[in-house]
């Protein structure tokens, strides 16, 4: 990287999805949300890419930040090793944001259903969509909107926004995107990036990566998540890793949802919207399938480590190959 190092930010949510003040000192009132985000998420002028990360199941606040730093340190390292592998990224000066929420339960390891229900409550009846929608809206309002570069798609200008979710954090992000779609349907710039930009929406989200998503395999064929495939602020495919070694999303998810999860065997519907790629080694460039809104990333041979009783390979994605995927998606967005 060039210039100053990356900027790190952490924001916290309570069990109802309300924003918390630093150190958990009470909720941020609705009227104070804009000022709070301004103080916590100040956007540097030289930032090129903003990454918003939401962690998953059974993660303490301390571990959530440590995991985010671990993943994005890999992103920095892979970029430093091979910046030429991402030719559309003209310099790389990231800002990283970690969203923390209460995802751990005392009844380990069989607390999957409890945390699943808490996720649903925070997302459907709680404040998570409104808050994440506000965060997306903050960056949309404050960043230099990406503009199309020349016809070769090189040298495009602007600040790019990427969302990264793990496990149940994937559900939070999807609800936040749907909320942002409701809030921000007020025109937007043309681009030469992904094929799904819609003139009714701002170009708000430039990539979405879900590591081991705790979603039913057919989630995108029904509401609420099916709406992601229609016109929305998401102008990118949904890239989703999966591994059969992830027992949290096989055994535990199957007991609760009566089917495997996306992170166990991949998304299954709607079939016409699904592309499939193997997870690539750091030295192998990605060519993403054209015309597919959902891309299953097969990590069967890579995400394999972990105790089967406590979730198997559910958290085995902190690898250079994952960083390469994130950088490749950021490159393709330009």
């Amino acid at each position: 990287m060039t210039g100053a190092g990356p900027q790190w930010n952490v924001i916290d949510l309570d069990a109802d999805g309300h924003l918390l003040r630093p150190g958990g000192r009470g909720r941020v009132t609705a009227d104070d949300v804009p000022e709070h985000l301004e103080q916590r998420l100040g956007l540097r002028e030289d930032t090129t890419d903003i990454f918003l990360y939401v962690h998953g199941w059974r993660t303490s606040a301390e571990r959530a930040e440590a995991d985010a730093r671990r993943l994005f340190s890999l992103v920095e390292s892979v970029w430093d090793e091979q910046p030429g592998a991402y030719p559309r990224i003209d310099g790389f000066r990231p800002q990283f944001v970690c969203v923390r929420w209460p995802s751990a339960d005392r009844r380990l390891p069989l607390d999957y259903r409890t945390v699943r229900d808490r996720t649903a409550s925070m997302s459907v009846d709680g404040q998570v969509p409104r808050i994440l929608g506000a965060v997306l809206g903050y960056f949309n309002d404050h960043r230099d909107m990406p503009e199309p570069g020349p016809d070769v798609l090189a040298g495009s200008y602007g600040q790019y926004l990427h969302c990264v979710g793990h496990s149940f954090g994937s559900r939070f992000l999807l609800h936040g995107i749907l909320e942002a779609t409701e809030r921000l349907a007020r025109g937007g710039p043309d681009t030469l990036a992904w094929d799904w930009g819609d003139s009714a929406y701002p170009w708000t989200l430039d990539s979405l990566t879900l590591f081991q998503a705790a979603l039913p395999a057919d989630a995108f064929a029904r509401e609420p998540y099916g709406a992601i495939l229609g016109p929305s602020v998401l102008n990118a495919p949904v890239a989703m890793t999966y591994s059969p070694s992830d027992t949290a999303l096989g055994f535990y998810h199957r007991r609760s949802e009566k089917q495997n999860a996306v992170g166990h065997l991949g998304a299954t519907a709607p079939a016409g919207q699904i592309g499939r790629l193997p997870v690539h080694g750091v030295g192998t460039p990605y060519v993403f399938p054209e015309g597919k809104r959902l891309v299953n990333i097969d990590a069967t041979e890579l995400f394999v480590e972990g105790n089967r009783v406590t979730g198997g390979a559910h958290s085995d994605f902190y690898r250079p190959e994952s960083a390469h995927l994130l950088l490749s998606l950021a490159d393709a967005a330009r």
Side-chain angles (χ1 to χ4, degrees):
M1 293 186 302
T2 60
Q7 180 174 342
W8 278 91
N9 308 98
V10 177
I11 59 176
D12 290 293
L13 308 179
D14 68 13
D16 294 318
H18 289 276
L19 269 175
L20 291 175
R21 298 190 181 281
R25 299 191 302 272
R27 291 177 173 178
V28 178
T29 65
D31 291 341
D32 290 339
V33 166
E35 180 182 357
H36 180 81
L37 294 179
E38 184 72 47
Q39 293 174 349
R40 302 291 292 174
L41 302 177
L43 183 59
R44 258 185 356 209
E45 290 184 2
D46 66 345
T47 294
T48 61
D49 293 80
I50 307 151
F51 292 85
L52 178 72
Y53 171 79
V54 185
H55 65 85
W57 179 41
R58 294 174 53 205
T59 306
S60 68
E62 293 76 14
R63 181 182 158 198
E65 182 175 359
D67 285 349
R69 289 183 178 274
R70 179 182 176 189
L71 177 63
F72 291 126
S73 291
L74 288 168
V75 170
E76 297 173 71
S77 297
V78 171
W79 166 262
D80 287 341
E81 291 170 4
Q82 54 173 39
Y86 317 103
R88 297 181 180 90
I89 302 178
D90 184 15
F92 183 58
R93 293 170 295 278
Q95 175 171 348
F96 301 124
V97 181
C98 175
V99 179
R100 302 189 297 193
W101 60 283
S103 71
D105 192 78
R106 295 178 180 177
R107 293 180 290 138
L108 301 177
L110 303 178
D111 62 342
Y112 189 96
R113 187 184 299 271
T114 300
V115 177
R116 180 206 64 181
D117 292 345
R118 181 182 304 154
T119 304
S121 177
M122 291 175 68
S123 298
V124 177
D125 301 320
Q127 298 296 310
V128 162
R130 185 178 67 83
I131 295 303
L132 289 185
V135 172
L136 294 177
Y138 167 82
F139 283 123
N140 188 71
D141 289 342
H142 286 69
R143 64 178 171 156
D144 286 327
M145 193 68 69
E147 297 176 355
D151 291 341
V152 296
L153 296 182
S156 56
Y157 168 80
Q159 295 173 305
Y160 293 79
L161 178 56
H162 314 285
C163 282
V164 183
H166 173 221
S167 185
F168 285 110
S170 302
R171 299 194 187 202
F172 285 160
L173 282 175
L174 293 171
H175 281 281
I177 292 166
L178 292 172
E179 174 72 9
T181 295
E182 293 293 325
R183 288 180 167 218
L184 302 176
R186 295 292 186 273
D190 296 328
T191 75
L192 293 178
W194 304 108
D195 297 331
W196 303 293
D198 189 286
S199 60
Y201 298 92
W203 190 25
T204 298
L205 187 56
D206 304 302
S207 76
L208 174 62
T209 308
L210 307 181
F211 289 110
Q212 304 307 107
L215 292 163
D218 65 352
F220 294 100
R222 49 193 172 91
E223 295 301 320
Y225 304 119
I228 291 290
L229 304 183
S232 75
V233 299
L234 175 62
N235 183 30
V238 185
M240 303 165 287
T241 66
Y242 71 90
S243 170
S245 297
D246 186 336
T247 53
L249 299 184
F251 176 73
Y252 293 125
H253 184 95
R254 190 163 52 243
R255 290 181 63 190
S256 299
E257 306 282 355
K258 310 306 180 187
Q259 62 171 300
N260 290 318
V262 166
H264 185 70
L265 292 174
T268 59
Q273 296 274 19
I274 297 174
R276 189 178 301 270
L277 289 171
V279 66
H280 288 5
V282 170
T284 303
Y286 274 94
V287 178
F288 295 103
E290 295 185 4
K292 303 297 184 182
R293 298 302 304 271
L294 305 173
V295 182
N296 286 326
I297 306 293
D298 184 353
T300 299
E301 302 299 323
L302 184 66
F303 299 172
V304 296
E305 296 182 2
N307 186 308
R308 292 181 59 85
V309 173
T310 58
H314 189 55
S315 297
D316 191 27
F317 65 93
Y318 299 99
R319 296 175 175 272
E321 292 85 353
S322 297
H324 176 48
L325 174 61
L326 293 175
L327 286 165
S328 298
L329 288 163
D331 183 68
R334 284 157 160 84

